[in-house]
Amino acid sequence: MASWAGMCPGNNQSGALNKPGHTRHGDAWLKAVLGQVAVAASRAKGTYLAGRYRRIAA
């Protein structure tokens, strides 16, 4: 879903050389909704995504 919305950078690799991947413009409305869902999931208590967010942020 995030890739379809244009929020994920592309993977442009040739051998050992990593070239920068750019994000697409995608759907602005879908990007906004996915951002709100991610924030809500990270702030929820006792969920897997909230715990994962806290471990990454620490």
Side-chain angles (χ1 to χ4, degrees), residues 5-57:
M7 297 179 75
C8 298
N11 185 11
N12 191 2
Q13 182 178 2
S14 176
L17 179 65
N18 287 325
K19 299 175 184 175
H22 303 286
T23 57
R24 299 183 304 130
H25 291 289
D27 187 5
W29 292 98
L30 187 57
K31 282 184 186 182
V33 170
L34 285 177
Q36 289 177 0
V37 168
V39 169
S42 69
R43 291 177 184 241
K45 293 183 179 180
T47 62
Y48 171 77
L49 292 175
R52 182 87 174 162
Y53 173 77
R54 288 188 190 96
R55 283 191 297 274
I56 291 172

